[in-house]
Amino acid sequence: MFEELKPHLIELRKRLFISVACVVVMFILCFTFRSPILDILKAPLIEVLPEVSKQINVIEVQEALFTAIKVSFFAAFIFSLPVIFWQFWKFIAPGLYENEKRLIVPFVSFASIMFALGTCFCYFIVVPLAFKFLINFGLHEDFNPVITIGAYVDFFTKVVIAFGLAFEMPVLAFFLAKIGLIDDNFLKQHFRIAILIIFIFSAFMTPPDILSQFLMAGPLCALYGLSILIVEKTKSNKETNP
């Protein structure tokens, strides 16, 4: 059995090595430009902070260094995603038909675009609205916001990556439909369960307020509907071109 798996493990190691190497190279580049990258990450928070407290603090001695590393790795991961998607497709390509193997460029493009849409939606809409609501709520209680850069970066990267991955739902549905694991009937039959899972996922991945949860759950419900349409189209193409 091991001999049968050996070629797949070798191929997996090759694809992982290329992906990790790309992330490492991008990390070095991003660390060089960490200051402007961090300014971009801080912008949504700075915008909603009150005028008397437009600063972000550090508490631990090593916090600034660790934050720079986290920010650089986060940016490196984002910039490396097209290569990671490409390597993923190359790994599963041997199990696909010849006409499906040619879908590598659409797959990588669509996956990268959907991740970018998710991160942009989070950056320009979710994060500003969520922080404005949470900070203003504290101000009404006469609390002065003292925000540390480490805590903010941890929160920001977690939420942005969550939105980016969540927006991959149509891509995942297309892939699973292509290999025959799901069809449109399956997605329709499990619609209610999917909605429940979406809201539970949104509750775990967003700040503890109902606004942020709905800002994630709403688009995901719409993407689930889009996934059904994509799977239907994939199914009809298979029946037309068996």
Side-chain angles (χ1 to χ4, degrees):
M1 183 177 178
F2 178 76
E3 291 300 323
E4 295 177 357
L5 291 175
K6 189 175 180 180
H8 300 289
L9 294 176
I10 293 174
E11 182 68 13
L12 176 61
R13 183 178 64 182
K14 175 183 176 182
R15 300 304 166 191
L16 287 176
F17 176 80
I18 295 174
S19 299
V20 172
C22 180
V23 172
V24 170
V25 172
M26 292 306 301
F27 172 81
I28 296 172
L29 292 174
C30 291
F31 193 80
T32 304
F33 298 97
R34 61 189 179 277
S35 294
I37 294 174
L38 185 56
D39 289 339
I40 294 173
L41 266 62
K42 293 188 300 182
L45 176 60
I46 297 295
E47 184 67 25
V48 299
L49 283 175
E51 291 296 331
V52 295
S53 184
K54 280 192 177 296
Q55 63 179 7
I56 307 177
N57 306 279
V58 292
I59 297 179
E60 304 292 340
V61 174
Q62 74 279 7
E63 190 170 354
L65 174 61
F66 286 172
T67 298
I69 294 174
K70 290 176 185 177
V71 167
S72 302
F73 180 78
F74 169 74
F77 173 74
I78 298 294
F79 291 138
S80 300
L81 275 175
V83 174
I84 294 173
F85 289 138
W86 188 283
Q87 296 308 310
F88 170 77
W89 189 270
K90 295 291 286 185
F91 175 69
I92 59 115
L96 302 177
Y97 294 109
E98 286 300 322
N99 62 319
E100 294 173 340
K101 292 179 182 179
R102 293 194 293 268
L103 294 173
I104 182 169
V105 173
F107 170 79
V108 173
S109 302
F110 188 39
S112 301
I113 290 171
M114 291 305 297
F115 193 94
L117 286 176
T119 57
C120 288
F121 179 79
C122 181
Y123 181 86
F124 290 106
I125 298 178
V126 177
V127 171
L129 288 177
F131 268 92
K132 186 174 183 179
F133 170 78
L134 294 172
I135 290 174
N136 286 339
F137 185 86
L139 291 176
H140 290 317
E141 303 295 333
D142 294 327
F143 297 147
N144 182 41
V146 179
I147 300 172
T148 63
I149 187 62
Y152 172 71
V153 167
D154 287 343
F155 162 81
F156 181 92
T157 53
K158 170 190 171 183
V159 175
V160 169
I161 291 178
F163 268 85
L165 294 177
F167 270 58
E168 296 292 338
M169 187 189 301
V171 182
L172 180 61
F174 169 78
F175 171 72
L176 294 178
K178 271 293 184 183
I179 62 178
L181 290 181
I182 63 171
D183 58 15
D184 55 307
N185 292 326
F186 175 86
L187 295 179
K188 292 173 183 177
Q189 289 171 2
H190 295 83
F191 177 77
R192 293 182 179 179
I193 298 176
I195 298 302
L196 176 61
I197 293 174
I198 284 173
F199 273 90
I200 293 174
F201 175 78
S202 301
F204 274 103
M205 300 308 296
T206 57
D209 65 275
I210 195 68
L211 173 63
S212 301
Q213 183 179 358
F214 273 95
L215 284 173
M216 175 174 251
L220 286 184
C221 292
L223 288 171
Y224 189 85
L226 176 62
S227 299
I228 294 176
L229 296 177
I230 291 174
V231 172
E232 283 181 345
K233 182 66 175 176
T234 303
K235 180 180 177 181
S236 62
N237 287 343
K238 273 189 173 183
E239 293 173 351
T240 305
N241 304 297

